[in-house]
Amino acid sequence: MVEIPQSFKDRMDKQLEGRAEAFYQSLDLPASTAIRLNKAKEGSEVLSDVDKSVIPWSHHALQLKSRPSFTLDPDFHAGRYYVQESSSMVLYHVLTQLFKNDKAELKMLDLCGAPGGKSTTILDFLGGEGSLITNEVIQNRVRPLIDNIMKWGYNNTIVTNNDPSAFARFHGLKFDCIVVDAPCSGEGMFRKDPKAISEWSEEHVHHCAVRQRRILQDISQSLKENGYLIYSTCTYNEAENIDNVAWAAQEFDLDHITIEMDSNWGIETIKKGDAVGYQFYPHNVSGEGFFIAILKSKTGSDDYQKVIPKLRSPERSEMTIIEDWIDTDNIQIGIANNNDVYVYNDPTFELINLVIGDLKVRYSGVKLGTINKSIIIPDHALALSHTLNIKSNRVELSKEDAITFLRKDLAKIDSDKRGWILLTYNGFGLGWIKNLGNRINNYLPNEWRIRMASS
């Protein structure tokens, strides 16, 4: 049984007004497990041997009846799905309510991006159009964020590692939408993460609420006129949720926005004065605790500066090499000083040339590879991309061989094809090898290697 702090229990008794017992009972149930499918990598059914059901507020997401070994599933490594808490998947529904027209010019920011659940949700929504900056302030959380962005395979993303105040100082950049999934006291994770209980205190709640206001203060001026601020937490208390939403609306002259929510979904509408938000309780939904609210700017401007290219364009000889790898129609190509080659859609190419030097950019677009004299050494991100027409040879692997490859134990392949080969599973890229005939060189990055023993 979950040991609940008494002061938390006292507050929830009052907050739930006679419905608290069902809430407490839900905390003793196993945490839910859900996945969100990569819409751009549809094909054969994933996790076919696991019972699952559709999550009503995210029709391309599935609630699992049991938790399989994701590490030992090649589809997971190919970026065909993302393991995500189901309540937070409502972001896709919110975005479809807010933006019903052309997405091609949308500039979006996921301010607290790691590990990537909301960023990949935004990418699903954009469908390869517009551009997304996903930011993570904590250094050691940036790498997992990059990996998940790479798995999702789009070329319209920039990963940054900045404090929120860096965006406040960047007057040449305004966003149509900013998502702030704020660091919080984690009350909604009590049954999923016992550490959240041991770290909880009223003092910690207060500290989080103050920090959240600083974040909102930092980012408020980065909205375009009529831009949206989507604020969320994985907690229940008013101080971090509805009170902060009300404070932000008054402080920064923002409007409260309501969203259509199906009454059958079990999501509670929370109101306090003019403020409105949406609360997920684990006794009402098949997910964990979560809160989300939407605000809209009344003022602002797009002070987008004239962009001076900072990534150089390929020389003719380099372009010839690049064209041996990909179809270069309808993309932009930029080359960094170290000869790394990156591919973008038009809006993101303009955006990356604006922010380099002002923001700490850790990854962007799709990294095609590195030019070394007259050859390209392909990057793992290229293997995972679906936005590029890759011209290399491909070899489809069985599940057993795919796992062996991902362990970096695959010694050879049954193919007479030589040179660079993209290995696939269920038709989607897993990584690169170089087939030398009697052996292969495995170019899977060491940090992607499976080290788990077979179950």
Side-chain angles (χ1 to χ4, degrees), residues 331-392:
I331 60 171
Q332 296 285 347
I333 300 170
I335 302 181
N337 291 334
N338 60 358
N339 285 333
D340 286 347
V341 183
Y342 295 88
V343 181
Y344 309 90
N345 70 356
D346 289 345
T348 311
F349 184 67
E350 184 177 6
L351 186 56
I352 187 64
N353 278 296
L354 173 66
V355 302
I356 288 177
D358 292 287
L359 297 176
K360 297 176 184 176
V361 175
R362 298 301 184 223
Y363 184 76
S364 62
V366 170
K367 185 178 178 182
L368 170 64
T370 303
I371 294 179
N372 183 4
K373 297 181 180 177
S374 61
I375 66 170
I376 286 182
I377 301 172
D379 193 81
H380 188 58
L382 179 62
L384 299 171
S385 173
H386 54 77
T387 57
L388 304 179
N389 182 15
I390 301 171
K391 296 180 179 179
S392 69

Side-chain angles (χ1 to χ4, degrees), residues 260-287:
E260 293 180 11
M261 298 282 190
D262 192 315
S263 60
N264 295 317
W265 293 350
I267 303 167
E268 293 196 14
T269 301
I270 307 297
K271 293 185 177 181
K272 193 170 186 179
D274 293 331
V276 60
Y278 303 92
Q279 185 74 60
F280 293 67
Y281 290 109
H283 63 290
N284 289 339
V285 302
S286 57

Side-chain angles (χ1 to χ4, degrees), residues 40 103-104 122-131 153-157 330 344-348 386-387:
K103 305 170 189 175
I122 295 168
L123 292 178
D124 281 339
F125 170 73
L126 290 174
E129 299 185 274
S131 54
Y154 287 98
N155 63 2
N156 61 339
T157 312
N330 302 315
Y344 309 90
N345 70 356
D346 289 345
T348 311
H386 54 77
T387 57

Side-chain angles (χ1 to χ4, degrees), residues 15-179:
Q15 186 168 322
L16 289 171
E17 297 179 343
R19 299 170 293 136
E21 192 56 39
F23 168 74
Y24 300 136
Q25 290 176 2
S26 73
L27 298 185
D28 288 324
L29 299 174
S32 61
T33 300
I35 61 171
R36 200 184 73 258
L37 303 176
N38 188 334
K39 293 176 62 181
K41 295 187 177 182
E42 294 179 336
S44 60
E45 182 184 2
V46 301
L47 300 172
S48 57
D49 56 345
V50 179
D51 290 337
K52 41 194 175 288
S53 57
V54 172
I55 296 170
W57 49 84
S58 183
H59 294 297
H60 54 289
L62 301 168
Q63 197 81 43
L64 307 185
K65 298 296 175 62
S66 59
R67 187 179 182 90
S69 174
F70 299 115
T71 301
L72 297 177
D73 181 11
D75 277 331
F76 173 71
H77 296 272
R80 294 196 62 206
Y81 62 87
Y82 183 93
V83 184
Q84 183 179 2
E85 203 290 300
S86 61
S87 297
S88 67
M89 295 181 191
V90 77
L91 175 61
Y92 188 88
H93 171 74
V94 170
L95 292 173
T96 61
Q97 295 281 303
L98 299 179
F99 299 101
K100 297 179 186 260
N101 299 318
D102 186 17
K103 305 170 189 175
E105 299 302 320
L106 290 180
K107 289 193 289 290
M108 307 187 77
L109 169 65
D110 185 0
L111 187 67
C112 311
K118 292 183 178 63
S119 290
T120 52
T121 299
I122 295 168
L123 292 178
D124 281 339
F125 170 73
L126 290 174
E129 299 185 274
S131 54
L132 166 68
I133 292 180
T134 176
N135 178 73
E136 175 53 47
V137 65
I138 301 173
Q139 180 82 29
N140 63 9
R141 288 168 58 86
V142 175
R143 185 68 247 179
L145 174 60
I146 292 172
D147 290 349
N148 285 317
I149 293 300
M150 286 170 56
K151 282 182 180 180
W152 231 242
Y154 287 98
N155 63 2
N156 61 339
T157 312
I158 299 169
V159 180
T160 59
N161 174 211
N162 288 87
D163 187 84
S165 60
F167 295 91
R169 296 192 302 267
F170 201 151
H171 299 298
L173 181 60
K174 306 290 183 181
F175 295 94
D176 299 279
C177 182
I178 299 175
V179 176

